[in-house]
Amino acid sequence: MIPPVISKVFSCYLALLYLNCLTDLRFYLNKTSYLCPQFSGGKLFHIGRLSTVDLEEEIDEEESVVSRPKEIPHNEKLLSLKYESLDYDNSENQLFLEEERRMSQMGFKCLEMSRWLVCALIGILTGLIACFIDIVVENLAGLKYQVIQQNIERFTETGGLSISLILWVLLNSAFVMVGSVIVAFFEPIAAGSGIPQIKCYLNGVKIPRVVRLKTLVVKVCGVICSVVGGLAVGKEGPMIHSGAVVAAGISQGRSTSLKRDFKIFEYFRRDTEKRDFVSAGAAAGVSAAFGAPVGGVLFSLEEGASFWNQMLTWRIFFASMISTFTLNFFMSIYHNKPGDFSNPGLINFGRFDSDSTEYYLYEIPLFIIMGAFGGLLGALFNVLNYWLTILRIRYIHRPCLQVMEAVLVAAVTATVSFTMIYFSDDCQPLGEDQLEEYPLQLFCADGEYNSMATAVFNTPERSVRSLFHSPAGSYNPVTLGIFTITYFFLACWTYGLTVSAGVFIPSLLIGAAWGRLFGILLASFTPHNSIQTLADPGKYALIGAAAQLGGIVRMTLSLTVIMVEATGNVTYGLPIMLVLMTAKIVGDYFVEGLYDIHIKLQSVPFLHWDAPATSHSLTAREVMSSPVTCFNLVEKVGTIVDVLSNTSTNHNGFPVVSRLSDGCEPGKICGLILRSQLIVLLKHKVFVERARSRLNQRKLQLKDFRDAYPRFPPIQSIHVSQDERECMMDLTEFMNPTPYTVTQETSLPRVFKLFRALGLRHLIVVDSDNQVVGLVTRKDLARYHLGKHGLEELQLAQT
Amino acid sequence: MVLLLKVVACFVVLLHCSRAQASSFEVNLTVLPSFIWDDVANRLNALPSILTVSPSQEPSFHSSSDLLLSSFHGDPEISDYCRELLHIFGQRYVSYVNCLVSSARPVKVCLNCFMLYNRLTDIYSNISQVGLGNESCQVTLLRSDRLMLVYELYDKITDIWKTSHCSNCLSNDSLSSDALHYMAKLNESLRCFESQKSNHSELCKECKASYKVLNDLYGRMEKNKSLCIDIEDAMNMTRILWSKSFNCSFPREETVPVIAVSSFMLFLPIIFYLSSFLHSEQKKRKLIHPKRVKSSNSLMNIQDKHS
């Protein structure tokens, strides 16, 4: 019996060693991959990257001719081909200019009005969704805790508490299973908090399916299930994603999923406009989650600030305000106190306004120490979660395994909670104004309750509030210590599961617990006469919560404002800012923020604020992809179809040149045309010959492009007959005649700035004769990053 | 001597009510005589003797009380009717406060004193209403000076009444049936405790039934919000007796099954991760080679430049 076990453990150990070796292997691959031979084509050259379609076989075939495809385990130094850019730069073709010219001044005013209307709608709908989540979670969780509480009470008396434990485990697992199944099988993109995804979207990366209605539905149901299932998660992060989806949906005036088109807001059907509304939606989400409208605006600013203007800020603020007001209004009706606006957000930190919660100058060093500690703990959290996520991506990628994992985590969470409560000796007398919704007595004296149960046997939001506001002495230090440690590991383990859930509340909870512990210890070390000022542990709980959250997510400005708004106390502005600063500095020394880690692990081509610091030596020539696939101004349909259907080079942007010479030299640049435009043209069969034969044919309008947005059909679905292949297509009217170009000597940081500031998707590199020599896309830029050994290059990979 | 006690009690309540701190001590001293008015104040001759706390106040206290007395005797503003009301108010106030203090521990303030409180409210409502023959004492007694003593005194005493939730135990000016029922059950339990006092383990068994009935009744009353401080306090004491003195709480005795189930649960993820680590195929990524102008122009090149 024993030898097999040992051999298993041993093999496991070997496998772990293998994992460690991968780092070295990766380095080796970095070096070799660039030595592979290149293949250059004939008349048409392929660059770029892309492909959303799976074409594994074809790629195998083609690549096997050239070189065997390298296969490496997933790691963070990859860029996935799955992700494409959004077209934040408008294609100013003739159609567009004509339409703009036709529009009167009145028309523009109406447009502006409808922007405000859309923002109001976004606010209202986001607020309503928050309301719905809150009410459902409250009721379901209430029901669950009531059932378990009664069960525990019964079995405390008669014996058989292990049955209560099993009941608790089963209830939790059932809820989490539902939540995890809908996420894993129906919409995997709805997993996690959604903040990294929205961050990417605002950065200009098109994450497939991230703003669909289906995602919203799965997200809302999923978050309800995971919170009710008792996981160490919060419902605040997903609110941001929900807000963004609402915004992307409303602003389009139709739902592709429901196949309903309301024929309104058609002007907004393009990436540029949609992006503005999505940032408003994200802000509205933050605002509904924390009751922090200004924090919401600043969150959008901080996370998606590459494209911004003042008017937009004001509109986003409007959406945020409406959202928090809507939530407040409907919650007040739900609580039967219409007009009592005391629920501005999903999480209510309660008010810190009594005298004992003031802080003094001499406490600021203490706060800074707490900030540093929060940064350390946050870094530890992130490192652990990083390894866990790598393990998950590599080995737990099948949906059924993911569901199993989530269910196991739920079961363990319940077990650990129960064990902690069972073995806790910390009994506190019941107060008159019960902060404890579901007090558990267990082995405490009658009239007392188990204080560990307040922290664990409760929704996380309530626990946070109880840690902030319970009077001094409600928790004993041992309880808090054990709670902090277990919850830290549980939260770390939970984040990244295939359930939709956020990390804000668990971080706050961990921080509040050790912050309170810190406060209690501090009070016990100080001489008795100064206890009055140091005694309030709630204050330290708040600072600890801020430090921990800052250490994990590393947000700065927006988080400060969110915390200040959520506590409703501006006095704490300075301490919270200092704490978040310290936490970020200390944390960044070790590892990046949690969201950035997850973005990297998803292999998203994310453009940071600036180009890597040491990249000035690189020029556009080294960065660009070359040679470029170009089209003539008047191009043969067959050629276009062939290029578009070439699955190995799924390009999206094609420079249009005056005349493609017979050699490899492309002609002078005339413009840029996108795949999506070509597909619409092919679909409507806008051929030169057709136009001649049927003069009465309706002229293609911008509306036709908008109708196809955002889900352009794949090229395979468009049938082009053999005759039609011989036709010609005139691209003059449809291409963007004024694309941005740079010369080959432009430095990388300069190219980067253009990309980041203008939201470009393609940047054409030309030589002195204005001939196309290369094309820079997002992935060409995103692959450079500053690693431990200087500038490093990421690999492109198929995921 | 009884009188002395009464006055002291009165004084203590006053101090308590106004949440007075050391600084307002003197204010209270001067307040006292004016509230008790003439004949009550006459009986207060003993007062100075207990007020030796601040001897410097003594002369001024005498003179001020004399002054007040003499000036108010001929005051045309106060009618005899109001004076009479005030007198009664004072008497009832003293008796109520007296009752409160004597039933402070263990708390019996509702059961013992509710009658006195009702009488006090009666007389206060008389004062605050428009009285006989168009005569109103409301203005003269309640609102004619900055101190508004009668009002303040009554207000403080009402606060105590409210915080004690006494009205929950009353119905129609008498104890509610719930409260009476509870008291009966309480006595039952306490009698049981008394009889089994010698042997605690016996007591836990014998009195469990009556204690459980009591506890459940309390739980029900808590839900109905029909608890007053007397009942709460009595229950607290009984619970402390039961759980701490007699040690009859539930023991933690099924540790083994709980540990077994928990360790089984904790073991599951280990199995899960090991098996998926060993049996699930590792996800590999296919690398794609981008097309560049010069293939050598890549990482090595960069590193060269930087080295």
Side-chain angles (χ1 to χ4, degrees), chain A residues 367-551:
Chain A
F367 292 156
I368 291 179
I369 293 172
M370 290 179 79
F373 186 64
L376 278 177
L377 266 189
L380 179 66
F381 186 99
N382 291 0
V383 169
L384 290 178
N385 194 262
Y386 166 78
W387 285 109
L388 196 59
T389 312
I390 288 217
L391 179 83
R392 279 177 181 149
I393 293 177
R394 285 186 188 164
Y395 294 100
I396 307 174
H397 43 78
R398 274 184 306 185
C400 46
L401 279 181
Q402 291 172 333
V403 172
M404 263 172 75
E405 192 192 12
V407 170
L408 278 178
V409 174
V412 170
T413 309
T415 312
V416 169
S417 311
F418 186 88
T419 325
M420 284 200 299
I421 296 176
Y422 187 88
F423 289 105
S424 164
D425 283 321
D426 184 6
C427 295
Q428 303 289 347
L430 280 167
E432 194 192 358
D433 47 340
Q434 282 181 21
L435 284 169
E436 303 77 26
E437 199 88 349
Y438 319 103
L440 277 184
Q441 186 190 351
L442 232 61
F443 310 115
C444 287
D446 285 349
E448 296 189 341
Y449 68 94
N450 188 314
S451 123
M452 181 63 94
T454 354
V456 186
F457 192 67
N458 226 335
T459 53
E461 280 90 356
R462 283 230 173 84
S463 310
V464 172
R465 207 155 52 220
S466 149
L467 283 170
F468 282 171
H469 294 293
S470 297
S474 320
Y475 290 92
N476 90 30
V478 181
T479 309
L480 284 176
I482 295 174
F483 175 75
T484 307
I485 295 170
T486 28
Y487 211 78
F488 179 86
F489 288 109
L490 281 179
C492 188
W493 188 20
T494 310
Y495 189 77
L497 282 182
T498 321
V499 292
S500 43
V503 77
F504 271 86
I505 294 298
S507 318
L508 286 172
L509 193 50
I510 297 165
W514 65 253
R516 201 176 169 99
L517 181 63
F518 186 83
I520 294 173
L521 294 182
L522 206 63
S524 67
F525 284 136
T526 46
H528 285 284
N529 51 2
S530 63
I531 270 190
Q532 285 297 319
T533 53
L534 283 172
D536 184 56
K539 174 171 57 182
Y540 288 93
L542 175 69
I543 297 294
Q548 183 66 60
L549 186 53

Side-chain angles (χ1 to χ4, degrees), chain A residues 215-242:
Chain A
T215 313
L216 178 66
V217 174
V218 170
K219 191 111 208 167
V220 169
C221 299
V223 81
I224 289 172
C225 288
S226 45
V227 174
V228 174
L231 289 176
V233 296
K235 53 196 187 311
E236 280 66 18
M239 256 332 285
I240 294 159
H241 192 174
S242 308

Side-chain angles (χ1 to χ4, degrees), chain B residues 9 42 69 74 90 101 129 146 156 159 205 278:
Chain B
N42 282 338
L69 286 175
V101 173
Q129 269 166 15
R146 179 166 63 86
K156 293 293 187 288
D159 273 356
K205 268 186 226 158
L278 296 175

